[in-house]
């Protein structure tokens, strides 16, 4: 996938309007960012498959033999699963990998143009090295995500997503974690290039993915 140019300048990390101060969202800090290029979307299943097929790479979930799956996506045939205490919607599923994102029998959930999931930091950095890039730093990511908008709340501006008319990204609509109405069109992952890109031409710089062990990732070109 052709990369897009993220212009350099004074980048911002954090925000002056933290909504969860305990998460270290603030204060806003300035940092110098050199111009760089970044893949417009997250790495897709098809792209990761090309890497795995060419190199024989085995992900950590494949080595360990299991990963976490959101409860609503666990195949019925899997049977009873172990929950994570306090966040019981995450279930341990044996055989859940990037090829079978929800566990055995979930091949139909794999879609070539959707973000690869069930991958670790090691898996992501290995893929990045193979394509001749690296993962962006936190400061580079935030600078890229803002799309030139400064200390806006979201990559598209300050308007908050809602459950009626404004669907700028893939998030949960309904009562979490019981019912997702999927009003934005996607009950789980969305294609890597969905919704409107931000000011730098980058897609899906925020939103949720429900079967993951790591944030879907994109590549910074070297």
């Amino acid at each position: 996938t052709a990369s897009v140019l993220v212009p350099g300048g004074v980048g911002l990390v954090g925000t002056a309007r933290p909504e969860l101060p305990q998460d270290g969202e603030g204060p806003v800090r300035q940092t110098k960012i050199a111009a760089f290029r970044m893949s417009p979307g997250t790495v897709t299943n098809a792209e990761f498959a090309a890497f795995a097929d060419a190199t024989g790479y085995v992900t950590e979930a494949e080595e360990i033999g299991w990963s976490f799956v959101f409860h609503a996506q666990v195949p019925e045939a899997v049977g009873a699963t172990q929950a994570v205490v306090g966040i019981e919607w995450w279930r341990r599923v044996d055989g859940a990998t990037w090829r079978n994102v929800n566990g055995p029998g979930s091949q139909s959930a794999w879609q070539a143009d959707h973000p690869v999931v069930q991958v670790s930091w090691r898996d992501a950095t290995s893929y990045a090295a193979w394509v001749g890039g690296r993962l962006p730093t936190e400061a580079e990511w935030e600078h890229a995500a803002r799309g030139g908008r400064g200390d806006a709340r979201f990559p598209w501006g300050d308007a908050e997503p809602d459950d009626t008319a404004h669907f700028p990204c893939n998030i949960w609509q309904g009562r979490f974690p019981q019912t997702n109405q999927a009003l934005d069109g996607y009950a789980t992952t969305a294609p890597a290039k969905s919704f409107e890109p931000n000011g730098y031409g980058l897609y899906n710089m925020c939103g949720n993915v429900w079967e993951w062990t790591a944030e879907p990732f994109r590549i910074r070109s070297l």
Side-chain angles (χ1 to χ4, degrees):
T1 302
S3 59
V4 299
L5 178 66
V6 177
V10 177
L12 300 179
V13 178
T15 179
R17 299 173 290 175
E19 297 186 23
L20 295 171
Q22 66 271 25
D23 284 354
E25 294 177 349
V28 65
R29 290 94 68 196
Q30 293 185 341
T31 184
K32 182 71 173 176
I33 301 288
F36 62 96
R37 302 194 71 87
M38 182 182 252
S39 59
T42 55
V43 174
T44 66
N45 279 314
E47 290 169 331
F48 197 83
F51 159 63
D53 292 344
T55 64
Y57 184 83
V58 178
T59 64
E60 290 195 290
E62 289 172 303
E63 288 180 348
I64 295 167
W66 65 272
S67 191
F68 290 113
V69 175
F70 189 68
H71 76 99
Q73 271 69 62
V74 177
E76 208 171 297
V78 168
T81 54
Q82 181 182 356
V84 179
V85 176
I87 46 174
E88 284 75 12
W89 46 88
W90 287 119
R91 318 296 297 192
R92 170 182 167 156
V93 175
D94 292 339
T97 70
W98 72 274
R99 296 181 188 270
N100 295 284
V101 296
N102 299 324
S106 63
Q107 291 89 342
S108 62
W110 191 97
Q111 299 184 67
D113 62 343
H114 281 230
V116 62
V117 295
Q118 305 295 21
V119 292
S120 68
W121 179 87
R122 190 199 76 181
D123 304 332
T125 55
S126 297
Y127 174 88
W130 182 70
V131 297
R134 65 167 172 81
L135 303 183
T137 65
E138 180 181 5
E140 287 171 338
W141 177 275
E142 287 209 29
H143 179 64
R146 295 176 192 276
R149 292 182 178 273
D151 190 21
R153 294 181 67 200
F154 307 103
W156 55 83
D158 289 324
E160 188 165 353
D162 57 41
D163 291 355
T164 56
H166 186 48
F167 304 116
C169 64
N170 180 19
I171 59 172
W172 189 276
Q173 288 102 28
R175 184 180 178 185
F176 183 84
Q178 291 82 16
T179 305
N180 184 4
Q181 297 172 300
L183 299 176
D184 55 29
Y186 303 101
T188 57
T189 56
K193 291 184 178 180
S194 302
F195 306 94
E196 290 296 317
N198 72 1
Y200 294 153
L202 301 170
Y203 294 82
N204 296 339
M205 292 303 290
C206 69
N208 291 329
V209 173
W210 298 108
E211 320 97 321
W212 61 346
T213 53
E215 178 73 25
F217 65 99
R218 65 190 70 214
I219 303 301
R220 181 214 190 274
S221 300
L222 294 177

